[in-house]
């Protein structure tokens, strides 16, 4: 199930579903991320007074603010929701079981977009390659440590990660990656210029203009065109085990920043 943000609300789509379920109306601001537990959907409101909100699942309803310290992007684990507070240079967390939010990391950068695995939170910072980079902190909190420096992560797409690497697109659309432990970042050879990316165990999936394509993470092999011929540029919503979800003329979906007219799905071809 995917949660899609539009100007007038947030909708849930199931694979094969024709009419989406309206979860939240009106849409509580124009934040970047959405995070879901079994019982709640969380998001950020960037309008007026920035706040972290939540709405009950699966029924939906009115969104209620659960933190008002500011919120730009949100990500969730099995037990906690995490969110960025750029104006304070902090990462905050809130237990799904309840309680008050608290900061778990202070940084001299302005963290905006978040990604996580079972051990660390990762975020990009900076507005140019010379001043940008990626940092991380353990989920339990602590002192942020650098992963990459002199890198520009496109704010529309954010970070994607697999078991060993972080992936991102640059301001020019190049696809780069670095080991989660740091080291030297590399550009994936032969990759097209990408607006959005998603991952599975073997491939990077990429929207490039009016096409949806994929290529191997290692940069070997050809670029495969999976879908093309659309009247407007595409934005990738999600990659599941069996399908790819994407939009035309984009809606506020996850880390995206446009408004969609349609959400489309295609089956993933076999490797």
């Amino acid at each position: 199930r995917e949660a899609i943000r539009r100007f007038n609300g947030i909708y849930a789509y199931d694979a094969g579903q024709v009419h989406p379920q309206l979860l939240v109306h009106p849409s509580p601001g124009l934040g970047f991320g959405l995070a879901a537990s079994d019982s709640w959907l969380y998001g950020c409101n960037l309008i007026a007074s920035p706040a972290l909100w939540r709405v009950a699942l699966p029924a939906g309803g009115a969104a209620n603010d659960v933190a008002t310290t500011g919120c730009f992007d949100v990500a969730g684990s099995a037990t906690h929701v995490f969110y960025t507070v750029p104006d304070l240079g902090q990462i905050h967390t809130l237990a799904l079981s309840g309680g008050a939010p608290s900061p778990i990391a202070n940084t001299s950068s302005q963290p905006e977009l978040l990604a996580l695995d079972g051990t660390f939170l990762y975020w990009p910072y900076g507005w140019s390659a010379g001043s940008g980079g990626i940092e991380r902190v353990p989920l339990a909190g602590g002192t942020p440590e650098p992963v990459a420096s002199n890198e520009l992560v496109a704010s529309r797409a954010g970070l994607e990660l697999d078991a060993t690497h972080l992936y991102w697109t640059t301001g020019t659309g190049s696809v780069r990656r670095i080991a989660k432990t740091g080291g030297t970042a590399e550009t994936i050879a032969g990759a097209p210029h990408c607006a959005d990316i998603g991952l599975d165990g073997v491939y990077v999936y990429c929207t490039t203009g009016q096409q949806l394509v994929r290529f191997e993470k290692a940069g070997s092999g050809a670029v495969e065109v999976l879908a093309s011929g659309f009247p407007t540029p595409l934005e990738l919503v999600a990659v599941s085990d069996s399908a790819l979800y994407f939009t035309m003329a984009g809606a506020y979906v996850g880390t995206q920043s446009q408004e969609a007219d349609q959400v489309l799905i295609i089956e993933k071809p076999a490797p």
Side-chain angles (χ1 to χ4, degrees), residues 31-68:
F32 271 60
L34 294 172
S37 68
D38 291 339
S39 302
W40 300 98
L41 177 70
Y42 292 84
C44 291
N45 181 354
L46 300 183
I47 304 302
S49 299
L52 174 72
W53 56 262
R54 73 177 184 179
V55 64
L57 295 176
N64 297 304
D65 290 347
V66 292
T68 57

Side-chain angles (χ1 to χ4, degrees), residues 115-134:
L116 62 77
D117 56 20
T119 307
F120 288 94
L121 287 161
Y122 304 84
W123 63 90
Y125 63 89
W127 301 101
S128 67
S131 64
I134 301 169

Side-chain angles (χ1 to χ4, degrees), residues 235-261:
E235 297 205 15
L236 189 61
V237 176
V239 178
S240 72
D241 291 340
S242 60
L244 306 169
Y245 299 82
F246 58 100
T247 68
M248 293 189 298
Y252 282 90
V253 291
T255 59
Q256 316 311 328
S257 57
Q258 295 181 335
E259 184 187 7
D261 300 315

Side-chain angles (χ1 to χ4, degrees), residues 158-191:
L159 295 170
E160 297 288 338
L161 65 164
D162 61 16
T164 59
H165 285 77
L166 298 171
Y167 298 75
W168 66 93
T169 61
T170 68
T172 60
S174 298
V175 181
R176 289 177 62 77
R177 73 174 187 173
I178 193 170
K180 289 180 177 180
T181 53
T184 302
E186 61 181 354
T187 299
I188 297 181

